[in-house]
Amino acid sequence: MNSIDSRELAAWLDQTLQPGRFRDYSPNGLQVEGKASISHIIAGVTASEALLRAAIERGADTVLVHHGWFWKNEDPRVRGPRRTRLALALAHDLNLFAFHLPLDAHPQLGNNAQLARVLGLAPDTDANGLPRTCGPDNLVWVGSAPGVADFGELAAQVGERLGRQPQAIGDPDRPIRRVAWCTGAAQGMLADAVDAGVDAYITGEISEPTVHLARETGVAFLAAGHHATERYGVQALGQAIADRFGVRVDFVDIDNPV
């Protein structure tokens, strides 16, 4: 089995995802240092206790996630679930790599790019082939949904491909020509999608003000699930690591209905 030095992997991830470009809510990169030599990585959406235990059971030395630890404004005390998670990582010498906004935004490996692939969306691109974006840190992607005539069809396609029924706000018969999307909890960026002139906006979550804004602007809104929309970027990143370094990478999906 091939292996790689943890510092080499950390440097490649930083070069690939460029976390310094983002004003993020948690540290990106190596959050917990474990074994110096990495040969087996477990990839997942969130560094939960269940994912850590799955990594330990499989004899992995590294966990790679989108949602890591040490979020801003969290209680920093190490107790309860935080103590349990950290104790597991340290006791089993696990590396924990986490990339939040950088993994959302990457033009090929990111959550937005991979969600477009899964849903059959076609991003608009510029002269350099980069996606057309809007919103904070250019996190919202803009494009179209080829073959989709109306909002009802779009909602049905999203539900079928993600394996869960999205929450839909809008007229099912509304024609769909332009679409914007941003994975996770990006309901607060609906106004940016509206300004971009789209007919529908897809994200993971919904909140009370979102409903009113969608109704009042006429832009249809789909809340397709935070976890459901963010399962794909970390898989693509894990595959890129496996292809480049020849180490084993397994994706473990810890189900989350939200």
Side-chain angles (χ1 to χ4, degrees):
M1 182 181 297
N2 289 339
S3 63
I4 180 176
D5 187 278
S6 61
R7 292 169 296 183
E8 183 180 356
L9 179 58
W12 181 83
L13 286 166
D14 284 346
Q15 181 181 22
T16 300
L17 298 175
Q18 300 180 23
R21 295 173 46 226
F22 299 89
R23 301 183 299 273
D24 215 334
Y25 314 106
S26 65
N28 289 293
L30 182 60
Q31 292 190 338
V32 177
E33 184 178 5
K35 294 178 182 176
S37 181
I38 292 173
S39 59
H40 187 187
I41 299 171
I42 293 296
V45 177
T46 298
S48 63
E49 180 183 341
L51 186 68
L52 294 176
R53 292 194 182 279
I56 294 164
E57 289 170 4
R58 289 162 171 77
D61 46 57
T62 299
V63 173
L64 172 71
V65 296
H66 177 49
H67 300 137
W69 298 343
F70 315 118
W71 298 91
K72 289 181 181 178
N73 301 321
E74 274 190 339
D75 185 341
R77 291 175 290 182
V78 181
R79 61 183 191 177
R82 171 176 285 199
R83 179 189 184 280
T84 301
R85 293 178 182 182
L86 189 56
L88 283 171
L90 294 176
H92 294 274
D93 214 11
L94 289 174
N95 293 287
L96 173 62
F97 287 92
F99 289 90
H100 186 230
L101 296 183
L103 186 56
D104 287 322
H106 192 275
Q108 289 85 36
L109 304 175
N111 283 319
N112 284 336
Q114 293 299 312
L115 184 65
R117 175 186 61 81
V118 171
L119 297 184
L121 304 176
D124 291 347
T125 55
D126 61 19
N128 297 316
L130 295 174
R132 178 189 167 204
T133 59
C134 64
D137 284 319
N138 294 307
L139 289 171
V140 178
W141 285 34
V142 180
S144 61
V148 172
D150 56 41
F151 183 52
E153 286 187 17
L154 180 64
Q157 181 167 299
V158 169
E160 177 184 358
R161 298 194 179 187
L162 295 186
R164 56 165 287 160
Q165 189 64 32
Q167 189 166 359
I169 306 298
D171 181 359
D173 296 324
R174 177 189 172 95
I176 298 297
R177 294 172 295 273
R178 312 296 302 144
V179 180
W181 63 96
C182 185
T183 66
Q187 65 269 38
M189 299 181 193
L190 173 58
D192 298 292
V194 171
D195 290 342
V198 302
D199 304 298
Y201 179 57
I202 304 167
T203 187
E205 297 188 16
I206 190 168
S207 57
E208 196 272 347
T210 310
V211 176
H212 300 294
L213 184 59
R215 288 173 176 170
E216 292 167 11
T217 61
V219 173
F221 183 91
L222 281 178
H226 194 139
H227 178 86
T229 58
E230 295 196 325
R231 289 178 296 198
Y232 305 104
V234 72
Q235 292 183 62
L237 181 61
Q239 186 61 55
I241 293 170
D243 291 343
R244 181 174 180 86
F245 299 107
V247 298
R248 178 179 173 185
V249 182
D250 298 321
F251 175 71
V252 175
D253 192 12
I254 305 297
D255 183 57
N256 188 327
V258 173

